[in-house]
Each structure stands twice: as structure tokens, then as C-alpha cells.
């Protein structure tokens, strides 16, 4: 049964709806008693809570010690339904843009804040009316079953994101300082760390540029050119093509500068509190449905600092990585039996080698990346014809998606998330020669995007289903361990980190073996939910470790 929550002044209105959307009960609840009301009903009835935006409602419930089993995030669902081709003929698709189309507010809730802030961050209409509009759009759509699964997965993803931010990723500031000191030298009071400063001195000598500031791209480029180097930019991949004694220390400097800027001492001061890094995740923040992060760089944690992610005493980190997820998703989507057989190997690339399509693992990897991302040169271009012969159904799927994009058509993921339309000029013989060339180039670029969209977006859907199943399994696994804990995850195994095709569970050590089993079972659940008849195995590598750097 859905329970729709709406704001009304300093109170919240809870509407119970039956499966047909008819209101069967209504209750006005003072804001200060809302957490107790939600906790009691969730424990007794497990309703689906329906609210405007998980990022606005759920963090304060978590702060009050309340975890919910299910919810529908109307803002996230509106975004999917608004653009899905399957709902293009429904009344919702034709509505003028309003507050339900606005971006997430994503507030950060700090201990000591008001328990429940009823200030509407975005002006929206009543939540129960929007819920009925969305239910109508799904019912009228061409694919109500798969769309309903996509909306449920996106909504549980929002719950998971809020819970991971609330629980936090265990982070040792002391260990982080040791890592930075080893890489950069001691933390400076002012200026650059000593190792970086030594590299600057060396670069000034090698380039004969006494005033060189390597943090300035303009000055650095000028210094390289003055030294006789044909540098066109200061990007690392271009610098690697140059031959000069200054290139190696320059690349080393750039690597250290990235660590200092993105995850240096200032980052720790800003983002790590009481032994936890609490990033703000943006669910569906990428057009394909992948997550993004709003501050803290959670999805770009470099390997150099992962040793600072340390389990609490008596706890373990269980880190699971879905091996070659996108190629396996492609095999399942296309029904390519030969690629499915290759995927029965733990390492799908080795399975491709065994199929006879390519000579070695390197060719298999680059050939598959070329197929999914549109690479036509180098190793990718050389092996793609062989991949087409051995895996015709898989190659046909991505190439048809690319051609659709080149024609200006939209494509969709397995569950119906639909790509945006291509803007700009289309190909037209009446255009100038220069404009026609630009149109052809734009079309090819968009074709590479749509080729990747169908696979990457479907892989994101698989990952959300994986996390959703694992979230439920972990809660059931930890049952009975919570009675004396103040917050929902104090004593339970819980998701602590997510990175596209990788999850991390922070668990009491006594549950670690069971957590590993549940991680694998949840991956199997996700495969069955999306591809119930496909003979594709979604292999995982799983490690039980004390610190993140030991997982790989």
C-alpha cells in the first residue's frame, strides 16, 4: 500500500491509497512526531512511502534513527517518465515543465539540525496528484512492466545513496596523513609540499625557465615551446609523446598535484569527520543513469589514497567488483550465445580469446571497448571485423544503436531510460561543404554516444538492482543485532560505498563470510530481474579486507 507524504504548513499529511490510487485514509501529523510515525508503520506494514524527493525527506529520518524499507522518489521518477519514449504519448509527457522537473536540492543534514525542516526547497504541486499522474503514465505506456522496475530501482537507489551518506565511509585521517607524507613530504605551513617543490626546481633547470609555475597551463606550455618542444597542450597523454629530460619529472609533478588538489590535507579537513567520509551522491546524475557525486569526489577516489579507507576495529570491508560488467550486459541484451559462452569464464576477455575471435587478452579488451565505445583505430579497429564474425548478435546491437544515433533517433536502455535528442544541424546536401563535414562529424560523434548509451545505461540498471537486492539482504542478515543501537547501521552490515560496478560493505567481522555470500546472491538476483532467460553469468571478484587498497 502506498502512503503519500505531503507538506502542509508545519505538519505532514499522510494519505493511504489503495492499489487503484483511491484515498482510503488521511492523517495530519506534527513534524516532530513524523519519525516515530514512519518507524511504527514501516515496522508493522512495510508500506511504500511516496514523497517528493528522497534527498529532502530521508536524511532527517535517518538522523532520527529511522530506516524505511521502500519508497518512491517522485522527482527521479518524473525525470525518467518525462523523457522515456514508452510514455511519449501520455498526458504527463505533454505537461509544461514545473517544479517536479527541477534538479535535486540534496541537502546535507548535520547532527544538531532541526529534526525535520518543512521548508519547501522547490515549489511543487501536491505529491499525491503527481503520484497519480505518474501511475497513469506507466499504465498507459507501451512497457509498463519494465518501466515500473526501472522506477523502483531508481527509487531504491536514492534510499541507498542517502543511507551510505548517513553511515559514511570509514576513513582514517591519520593513515591519510601518512600516505600524503609518503607521496608529497610533510604538510607545508604554506606553499607546495617539499617533494613537489623539488620537482619544480628541477623543471626550471631542465627547461631553462627560472620563473616557471607548472600549475599555470599557459606558462608551462610557453616554457615547453621555448625549450624547442612541439607541445600543443599540457595534457598528460600528449606530453607522453614528447622526448625531453623534463617530461618525466613534469608528469610526476602533475600526478602529485592531482592528489594534493583532489584528496590532499584540505580535502580531509573538509570531508572527514569522526572517522567518516560522507559524500553526497547524485542518483542518475549522468544521462545514462550512472551516479555522480556533489562534492568530495566520491566517484574519483584515486588508488593512492584508498589505504586510508580502514574498517573499524572488529569490522571488515567486503569489496565486490562486477567483472567486465558492460560486455556481459551486452551479451545478455543481444542474446549472443557465443559471447554468453565466453562470459562463463571468470575473466570474460580470456573467454573471448578461447573463442578464437582474438589472439590475446589485450586484443579482447580493446576490441570489446571499441565495440561499446566506438573505437575504430589501433587495436580496436584491427580486431573489430573478427569480433563481428564471432559475436554477430552483440556487434549488431551496438552498431544499430550507433546508426540510430547518426540518423538523429533516440535509443533506450533495457528498462526504458531513453537517450536525449541530438541537437545541431543534420546532414543536408544543400549545406555548404564545411557544414556538411561538420554535420557528418557530429552525427558520428552522436552515434558513438548512442552506441555506448544502451550498454552503459543498462549496466547502471543492473548495478541498481544489485544494490537494491543487497540492501535488503544485508538488513535481513543483521536482524536482531540492532536492539541497543541508536542508529540503523551502528551494528549491522551495510553498504558503505558504490562505484559504478563495485560495492563495498562495512560489516562486523563475524558476518563477513555471510556478507560475501549475499553479495554474490544479490548479483544473481539482478541478472534474473533484468534478463530472466539469458544464459549470462555476472561474475564477481570479492575480497574481505581491512583497508580498501588491499581489495585489488
Amino acid at each position: 500500500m502506498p502512503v503519500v507524504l505531503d507538506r502542509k504548513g508545519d505538519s505532514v499529511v499522510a494519505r493511504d491509497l489503495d492499489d487503484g490510487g483511491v484515498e482510503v485514509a488521511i492523517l495530519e501529523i506534527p513534524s516532530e512526531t513524523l519519525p516515530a510515525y514512519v518507524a511504527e508503520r514501516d515496522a508493522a506494514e512495510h508500506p511504500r512511502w511516496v514523497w517528493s524527493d528522497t534527498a529532502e525527506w530521508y536524511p532527517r529520518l535517518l538522523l532520527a534513527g529511522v530506516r524505511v524499507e521502500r519508497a518512491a522518489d517522485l522527482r527521479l521518477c518524473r525525470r525518467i517518465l518525462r523523457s522515456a519514449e514508452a510514455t511519449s504519448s501520455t498526458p504527463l509527457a505533454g505537461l509544461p515543465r514545473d517544479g517536479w522537473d527541477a534538479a535535486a536540492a540534496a541537502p546535507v543534514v548535520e547532527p544538531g539540525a532541526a529534526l525535520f525542516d518543512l521548508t519547501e526547497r522547490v515549489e511543487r504541486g501536491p505529491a499525491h496528484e503527481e503520484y497519480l499522474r505518474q501511475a497513469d503514465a506507466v499504465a498507459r505506456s507501451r512497457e509498463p512492466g519494465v518501466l515500473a522496475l526501472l522506477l523502483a530501482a531508481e527509487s531504491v537507489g536514492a534510499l541507498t545513496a542517502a543511507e551510505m551518506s548517513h553511515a559514511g565511509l570509514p576513513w582514517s585521517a591519520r593513515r591519510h596523513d601518512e600516505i600524503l607524507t609518503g607521496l608529497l613530504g610533510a604538510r607545508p605551513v604554506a606553499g607546495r609540499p617539499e617533494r613537489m617543490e623539488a620537482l619544480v626546481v628541477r623543471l626550471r633547470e631542465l627547461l631553462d625557465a627560472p620563473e616557471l609555475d607548472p600549475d599555470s597551463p599557459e606558462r608551462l606550455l610557453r616554457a615547453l615551446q621555448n625549450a624547442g618542444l612541439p607541445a600543443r597542450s599540457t595534457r598528460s597523454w600528449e606530453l607522453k609523446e614528447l622526448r625531453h629530460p623534463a617530461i618525466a619529472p613534469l608528469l610526476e609533478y602533475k600526478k602529485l598535484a592531482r592528489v594534493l588538489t583532489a584528496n590532499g590535507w584540505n580535502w580531509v579537513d573538509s570531508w572527514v569527520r569522526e572517522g567518516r567520509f560522507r559524500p553526497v551522491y547524485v542518483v542518475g546524475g549522468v544521462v545514462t543513469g550512472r551516479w555522480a557525486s556533489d562534492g568530495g569526489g566520491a566517484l574519483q577516489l584515486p588508488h593512492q589514497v584508498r589505504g586510508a579507507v580502514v574498517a573499524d576495529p572488529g569490522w571488515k570491508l567486503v569489496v565486490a567488483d562486477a567483472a567486465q560488467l558492460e560486455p556481459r550486459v551486452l551479451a545478455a541484451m543481444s542474446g549472443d550465445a557465443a559471447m554468453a559462452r565466453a562470459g562463463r569464464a571468470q575473466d570474460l576477455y580470456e573467454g573471448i580469446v578461447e573463442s578464437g575471435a582474438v589472439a590475446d587478452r589485450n586484443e579482447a579488451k580493446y576490441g570489446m571497448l571499441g565495440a561499446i565505445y566506438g573505437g575504430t583505430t589501433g587495436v580496436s579497429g584491427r580486431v573489430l571485423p573478427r569480433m563481428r564474425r564471432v559475436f554477430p548478435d552483440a556487434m549488431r546491437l551496438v552498431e544499430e544503436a550507433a546508426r540510430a544515433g547518426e540518423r538523429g533517433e533516440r535509443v533506450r536502455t533495457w528498462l526504458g531510460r531513453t537517450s536525449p535528442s541530438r541537437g545541431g544541424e543534420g546532414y543536408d546536401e544543400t549545406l555548404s561543404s564545411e557544414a556538411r563535414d561538420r554535420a557528418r562529424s557530429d552525427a558520428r560523434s552522436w552515434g558513438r554516444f548512442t552506441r555506448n548509451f544502451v550498454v552503459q545505461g543498462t549496466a547502471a540498471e543492473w548495478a541498481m538492482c544489485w544494490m537494491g537486492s543487497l540492501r535488503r539482504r544485508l538488513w535481513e542478515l543483521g536482524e536482531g543485532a540492532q536492539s541497543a543501537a541508536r542508529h540503523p547501521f551502528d551494528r549491522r552490515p551495510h553498504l558503505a560505498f558504490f562505484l559504478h560496478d563495485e560495492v563495498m560493505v562495512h560489516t562486523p567481522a563475524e558476518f563477513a563470510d555471510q556478507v560475501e555470500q549475499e553479495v554474490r546472491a544479490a548479483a544473481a538476483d539482478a541478472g534474473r530481474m533484468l534478463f530472466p532467460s539469458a544464459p549470462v553469468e555476472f561474475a564477481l571478484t570479492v575480497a574481505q579486507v581491512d583497508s580498501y587498497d588491499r581489495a585489488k
Side-chain angles (χ1 to χ4, degrees):
M1 173 184 290
V3 180
V4 184
L5 300 182
D6 256 314
R7 292 180 172 89
K8 181 182 178 182
D10 293 330
S11 302
V12 173
V13 176
R15 289 181 171 86
D16 288 21
L17 307 181
D18 65 16
D19 292 338
V22 177
E23 186 178 292
V24 295
I26 183 169
L27 179 66
E28 187 168 333
I29 308 158
S31 62
E32 62 270 16
T33 64
L34 180 69
Y37 169 81
V38 170
E40 182 178 351
R41 288 207 63 179
D42 201 80
E45 305 167 35
H46 311 299
R48 171 168 281 107
W49 301 98
V50 180
W51 48 43
S52 56
D53 190 339
T54 299
E56 293 182 12
W57 288 81
Y58 197 31
R60 295 183 186 275
L61 291 174
L62 288 168
L63 193 61
V66 179
R67 181 255 193 200
V68 302
E69 184 174 325
R70 301 185 298 167
D73 186 308
L74 295 177
R75 182 190 61 81
L76 289 175
C77 293
R78 162 69 80 97
R79 183 171 59 187
I80 291 171
L81 294 173
R82 171 73 90 176
S83 63
E85 279 208 319
T87 58
S88 59
S89 60
T90 66
L92 184 146
L95 289 175
R97 293 184 66 83
D98 58 20
W100 290 105
D101 296 297
V108 178
V109 179
E110 298 288 351
L115 185 58
F116 206 83
D117 179 8
L118 294 175
T119 303
E120 186 75 66
R121 291 170 175 80
V122 178
E123 284 295 329
R124 301 184 177 103
H128 65 287
E129 294 179 6
E130 175 63 14
Y131 174 72
L132 295 178
R133 278 193 293 269
Q134 293 187 11
D136 175 72
V138 172
R140 291 171 182 259
S141 75
R142 294 189 291 275
E143 299 175 298
V146 294
L147 267 182
L149 176 55
L150 175 57
L151 300 183
E154 191 90 339
S155 293
V156 79
L159 292 177
T160 306
E163 289 168 2
M164 288 195 296
S165 293
H166 175 80
L169 183 63
W171 199 283
S172 169
R174 178 190 60 78
R175 178 65 185 130
H176 194 141
D177 178 69
E178 292 172 355
I179 292 170
L180 293 177
T181 301
L183 284 171
L184 306 171
R187 181 174 188 172
V189 176
R192 298 183 181 93
E194 57 186 345
R195 187 172 178 194
M196 292 177 63
E197 189 60 38
L199 287 168
V200 172
V201 171
R202 181 69 174 144
L203 287 170
R204 287 171 176 168
E205 294 173 352
L206 291 170
L207 294 173
D208 192 20
E211 304 300 322
L212 173 64
D213 176 6
D215 296 319
S216 168
E218 296 81 7
R219 294 181 184 179
L220 176 57
L221 183 61
R222 186 162 57 249
L224 292 168
Q225 292 171 344
N226 289 342
L229 291 168
R232 294 170 298 178
S233 80
T234 61
R235 290 189 287 266
S236 294
W237 66 271
E238 290 192 20
L239 293 174
K240 290 176 182 177
E241 302 297 319
L242 303 177
R243 295 291 176 266
H244 189 277
I247 297 303
L250 176 55
L251 291 172
E252 177 69 8
Y253 179 88
K254 289 171 72 70
K255 181 176 71 173
L256 297 181
R258 281 195 298 272
V259 173
L260 178 64
T261 301
N263 298 99
W265 289 282
N266 290 339
W267 180 90
V268 175
D269 293 344
S270 299
W271 285 98
V272 177
R273 293 283 186 278
E274 299 176 348
R276 292 292 186 271
F277 166 40
R278 291 186 169 86
V280 179
Y281 296 98
V282 182
V283 178
V286 179
V287 69
T288 59
R290 275 189 165 193
W291 288 17
S293 63
D294 186 9
L299 304 184
Q300 292 92 32
L301 286 182
H303 287 277
Q304 295 101 315
V305 301
R306 291 185 178 184
V309 182
V310 179
D312 291 345
W315 289 57
K316 287 282 187 182
L317 303 175
V318 179
V319 182
D321 181 10
Q324 299 99 31
L325 176 58
E326 289 186 359
R328 293 174 194 274
V329 162
L330 174 57
M333 294 174 70
S334 63
D336 195 304
M339 187 174 284
R341 284 194 297 273
R344 288 173 190 158
Q346 176 72 18
D347 185 335
L348 178 139
Y349 297 138
E350 291 293 347
I352 292 176
V353 173
E354 292 173 9
S355 75
V358 295
D360 56 41
R361 190 182 187 280
N362 186 61
E363 285 191 350
K365 179 178 181 179
Y366 281 96
M368 189 55 63
L369 291 175
I372 295 173
Y373 289 89
T376 57
T377 60
V379 176
S380 294
R382 190 170 67 249
V383 303
L384 273 176
R386 283 177 273 159
M387 300 280 279
R388 291 189 187 99
R389 287 195 297 272
V390 179
F391 307 122
D393 296 325
M395 297 302 106
R396 187 180 306 114
L397 185 146
V398 289
E399 287 169 3
E400 287 178 354
R403 288 194 292 270
E406 291 170 4
R407 293 191 298 266
E409 299 170 6
R410 300 200 298 161
V411 297
R412 46 152 290 177
T413 63
W414 192 251
L415 295 184
R417 191 187 300 269
T418 304
S419 68
S421 299
R422 175 165 64 92
E425 296 172 325
Y427 179 78
D428 183 342
E429 288 293 345
T430 65
L431 297 174
S432 67
S433 175
E434 180 182 343
R436 287 201 305 271
D437 289 345
R438 185 170 64 248
R440 288 192 189 99
S441 177
D442 289 346
R444 286 193 296 270
S445 295
W446 198 256
R448 286 192 292 272
F449 163 72
T450 52
R451 169 193 294 268
N452 177 243
F453 182 94
V454 296
V455 180
Q456 187 182 104
T458 303
E461 291 165 356
W462 182 92
M464 283 195 300
C465 291
W466 182 30
M467 279 202 301
S469 174
L470 180 56
R471 172 181 180 265
R472 173 183 56 79
R473 288 172 171 275
L474 292 176
W475 188 254
E476 293 172 354
L477 178 63
E479 215 161 23
Q482 181 62 17
S483 58
R486 182 182 170 204
H487 293 307
F489 311 112
D490 282 353
R491 299 182 184 177
R492 291 177 181 265
H494 57 270
L495 280 157
F497 187 60
F498 169 60
L499 182 63
H500 304 317
D501 56 5
E502 181 179 298
V503 298
M504 180 190 298
V505 177
H506 193 209
T507 177
E510 64 267 24
F511 288 121
D513 289 341
Q514 292 169 277
V515 166
E516 180 170 341
Q517 294 172 17
E518 300 298 350
V519 167
R520 296 184 187 279
D525 288 345
R528 285 190 293 269
M529 277 188 271
L530 264 68
F531 312 110
S533 59
V536 175
E537 298 177 12
F538 290 92
L540 303 179
T541 58
V542 186
Q544 299 179 31
V545 294
D546 295 316
S547 60
Y548 190 15
D549 59 323
R550 298 183 178 276
K552 293 183 181 180

